[in-house]
Amino acid sequence: MAPLNDADLLKNFQKNRVHGSVKDTLLIGLYAPLGCVLTIIRICMLFHIYVISFAFPSSTSIGRCVMRVMLTLCGLVVKVKDEVNRRDTCSVVVCNYISPVDRLMFSLIQPNIMANEWGLPPFLSMLLGLKDLTEEGSRMSFLQNAKSLCQHTSVPLFTRPEGVPTSGKHGLLKFSSWQFSISDSVQPVVIQAERPMPISLTTLNSSGFSDLIYCLFTPYSLFTVRYLPVVTKEEGESAEVFAERVRGTMAKSLGLIASPFSRHDRNELVKRMGHKTELSRSQPVRDDAPSTSSSANRSPVSSNEGQPLSPRLEAMVQHCKQVTPQVPLHVLRALIAKSEDVEHTLGSIFEGNIQFDPEEVSPKSALPSTPVRHVPVNALSSSPPSSQIYKGKVFNKQSDQRHLSLSERKKEMLTQARARYIQLHGLSITVEQIEKQQF
C-alpha cells in the first residue's frame, strides 16, 4: 500500500470556492450583483425566522412547516428519502458533515437536540438550539450527561462524528467514538446537496459564517436527507469498532470510500498550508537558493531594507555587523527589528538557526591595518573571527547541559569580539586584562 500524503487528504475537501470552468466563472460574475441583493434580503429574513421560531418552535409540526417555507425563500430547500427507515425510538442520529446548515435542514424533518461541544456561551447555545451537556466546564461529565439525555428524552441527539465538513464527494473521515458509546443503537442519516452553480458548500479552511453567506448568495441549495436502517451494537463490540462499522455502511450508501484520515489530519494540514503561505509571503522564491538538508531546519529571514530603523536599532545592527561581518546587513536589520536585542540576535546566528547567504570578507576588511600592540597570541583563534562557528559538539538532552554549552559559546564569542575590538582600535591592553577588570 502506497504511503498516504497531503494529496490523498486533499481529495476529501474542496480547495477553492468556485470549481467550474472559465465559462461558469464568468456566469457567476454576471450573477454576482443579483446574488448580493439576494444575500442582503435573505439576511433580513433570517432575523424574522429567528423571531418566528419562538412563536412556532421546530419541535411542533406547524413550526417545522412554517420554518420550511421561510427557509425555502432563503434558498435552503430540503427533501427526504427512505423515511420508512426512520425510527423515532432511536436516541442517537449519526450524520455525515458537508455544511454548517446540515443540522438545520435535518431539524425541518425531525426534531432533535445537538450537544454544545464547542463551549459556546448560553446566548449562542440558545440561538443555535444547542444543549450544554457539561457541568461547570468539566469534560468528564459530558458522556454521563449524554447517556442520561438519551435515556430520559424522546428527542434524538443529532451528531456529526466526522468533526469537520468535507466535500461529500470522495470519502468519509474517521468517526469519533463517543457517539457510539452512549447508546447501543444509532440511526444513520446521510445528507447530500446540489446547487445550480459550481459553488462549493465549504472549502478546506473556510469558516461557517462564510459558508452560510454563500448559501444565501446562490439561487438555492437543495439538501437531500436519506434515512438508513438502524444499526445495533453487537455483543462485546467496542465503540471504536461499532463506529467503524457504521461509517462503512454510510460510505457505501453514498458511494464514497472510508477515508483513512481524521479531522486531526485535516487540522494539521490547514496549519501546514497556513505556515507555507506565511513563508511564501515573507520571503520571495529564489532560483539559486541552497537546497541542502542543513538549511531546511533554519528560519528564513526576509529583507527589511525598505523599512528604515531607528538610530538605536541601527547602532545595534552595526554592533552585530562588527562581530559577524559575514552576515548581510539586511539580515541583521530584519533580526534586530524583530528582537531588538543584540545578544538574542547573535545567539540565533551562532547557533545556526538563521538562514542567509554569507558575504565574503576579505582579510583587509576583516583585520585592520592598524598595528597591534600587546595582544597575546592565545587571545585570537587560528582562524579569523568571521569564519568562527560557535556550535556545540552534541545536542544534550538535559536542559542544564544545554544551558552550560550555550554559556561556553557565548563566552568564546565574547572573547573573540573583545580581541577584534582591540585590533580594530589598536589598544595597548590584552583580553585577559579586560576580563580581570570586569571580575
Side-chain angles (χ1 to χ4, degrees):
M1 181 177 178
L4 302 176
N5 51 34
D6 291 349
D8 297 324
L9 177 57
L10 281 172
K11 293 178 181 179
N12 298 285
F13 307 93
Q14 288 287 354
K15 191 174 181 181
N16 301 316
R17 182 68 69 176
V18 180
H19 52 83
S21 61
V22 177
K23 180 181 178 180
D24 294 331
T25 304
L26 293 176
L27 292 177
I28 293 175
L30 295 175
Y31 168 78
L34 177 60
C36 292
V37 174
L38 278 177
T39 303
I40 296 174
I41 296 175
R42 288 170 173 176
I43 289 176
C44 297
M45 292 182 62
L46 287 179
F47 285 104
H48 288 84
I49 293 174
Y50 177 67
V51 174
I52 293 174
S53 65
F54 288 99
F56 302 95
S58 59
S59 58
T60 63
S61 299
I62 298 177
R64 288 195 296 273
C65 182
V66 173
M67 294 289 292
R68 196 163 181 171
V69 174
M70 296 291 289
L71 288 176
T72 300
L73 296 177
C74 290
L76 300 175
V77 186
V78 62
K79 68 177 182 179
V80 61
K81 288 185 177 181
D82 299 335
E83 200 169 2
V84 294
N85 295 322
R86 172 177 168 177
R87 296 293 181 270
D88 293 335
T89 57
C90 192
S91 58
V92 177
V93 173
V94 177
C95 183
N96 60 319
Y97 195 173
I98 62 172
S99 77
V101 297
D102 295 342
R103 191 255 175 150
L104 179 61
M105 295 295 100
F106 182 77
S107 299
L108 299 178
I109 301 171
Q110 182 178 357
N112 62 88
I113 300 174
M114 189 173 183
N116 182 12
E117 302 180 58
W118 308 275
L120 298 177
F123 172 74
L124 288 178
S125 298
M126 181 184 67
L127 180 65
L128 300 176
L130 304 179
K131 181 71 173 179
D132 191 3
L133 300 179
T134 60
E135 295 178 358
E136 298 179 356
S138 174
R139 189 69 178 176
M140 299 296 296
S141 63
F142 184 87
L143 290 179
Q144 297 178 358
N145 292 338
K147 290 180 180 179
S148 177
L149 179 66
C150 293
Q151 294 173 358
H152 297 91
T153 182
S154 59
V155 180
L157 181 66
F158 181 83
T159 64
R160 294 180 295 192
E162 285 183 286
V164 292
T166 66
S167 64
K169 298 180 180 179
H170 180 74
L172 288 181
L173 300 183
K174 289 182 178 180
F175 285 0
S176 56
S177 60
W178 72 264
Q179 296 91 342
F180 304 88
S181 62
I182 60 178
S183 178
D184 292 334
S185 61
V186 297
Q187 172 79 72
V189 172
V190 294
I191 185 169
Q192 295 173 294
E194 299 176 8
R195 280 178 173 173
M197 294 182 174
I199 299 178
S200 304
L201 288 170
T202 63
T203 60
L204 178 62
N205 56 355
S206 63
S207 63
F209 178 76
S210 63
D211 297 335
L212 177 60
I213 292 298
Y214 274 98
C215 284
L216 304 178
F217 174 82
T218 55
Y220 68 89
S221 300
L222 176 60
F223 292 85
T224 302
V225 178
R226 182 154 49 93
Y227 284 89
L228 302 181
V230 173
V231 182
T232 304
K233 182 186 297 185
E234 298 178 355
E235 184 178 358
E237 189 177 31
S238 64
E240 290 76 13
V241 176
F242 186 27
E244 192 64 23
R245 186 158 60 91
V246 174
R247 185 169 76 112
T249 301
M250 296 174 63
K252 184 178 180 180
S253 65
L254 289 169
L256 308 179
I257 66 171
S259 175
F261 299 99
S262 66
R263 61 177 177 178
H264 303 293
D265 299 318
R266 176 262 183 194
N267 294 337
E268 290 298 325
L269 175 63
V270 171
K271 290 180 182 179
R272 289 196 300 269
M273 294 181 65
H275 180 64
K276 291 179 180 178
T277 302
E278 291 180 0
L279 292 182
S280 63
R281 291 177 179 176
S282 62
Q283 184 184 31
V285 179
R286 297 185 51 177
D287 296 335
D288 58 345
S291 58
T292 59
S293 59
S294 61
S295 63
N297 297 325
R298 300 176 183 176
S299 301
V301 178
S302 59
S303 176
N304 202 36
E305 293 179 352
Q307 302 177 0
L309 302 178
S310 63
R312 181 178 65 87
L313 297 181
E314 190 65 36
M316 293 183 183
V317 172
Q318 296 301 327
H319 179 77
C320 294
K321 183 65 175 178
Q322 289 182 358
V323 178
T324 56
Q326 75 277 16
V327 181
L329 277 174
H330 75 274
V331 175
L332 293 175
R333 289 192 177 99
L335 294 174
I336 289 295
K338 183 178 181 180
S339 65
E340 298 186 2
D341 184 61
V342 174
E343 183 177 355
H344 181 271
T345 300
L346 294 177
S348 300
I349 295 174
F350 292 137
E351 290 177 7
N353 298 329
I354 306 302
Q355 178 183 349
F356 61 90
D357 296 328
E359 295 180 345
E360 295 183 1
V361 182
S362 61
K364 292 183 180 181
S365 59
L367 296 176
S369 58
T370 308
V372 179
R373 298 187 297 272
H374 303 289
V375 178
V377 178
N378 58 0
L380 295 175
S381 173
S382 58
S383 60
S386 61
S387 62
Q388 291 293 317
I389 300 178
Y390 305 94
K391 188 176 182 181
K393 296 181 180 179
V394 295
F395 182 81
N396 295 291
K397 297 182 178 180
Q398 299 181 357
S399 59
D400 55 347
Q401 295 295 329
R402 293 198 301 269
H403 182 72
L404 179 62
S405 177
L406 178 61
S407 301
E408 292 174 352
R409 294 198 300 272
K410 286 183 178 180
K411 184 178 180 181
E412 183 179 359
M413 177 191 70
L414 186 59
T415 301
Q416 294 290 340
R418 284 170 175 165
R420 182 173 178 81
Y421 185 83
I422 292 172
Q423 285 184 333
L424 183 64
H425 297 278
L427 302 179
S428 300
I429 192 172
T430 64
V431 176
E432 289 81 356
Q433 292 175 353
I434 297 178
E435 294 177 350
K436 288 180 180 179
Q437 292 177 1
Q438 183 177 4
F439 296 101

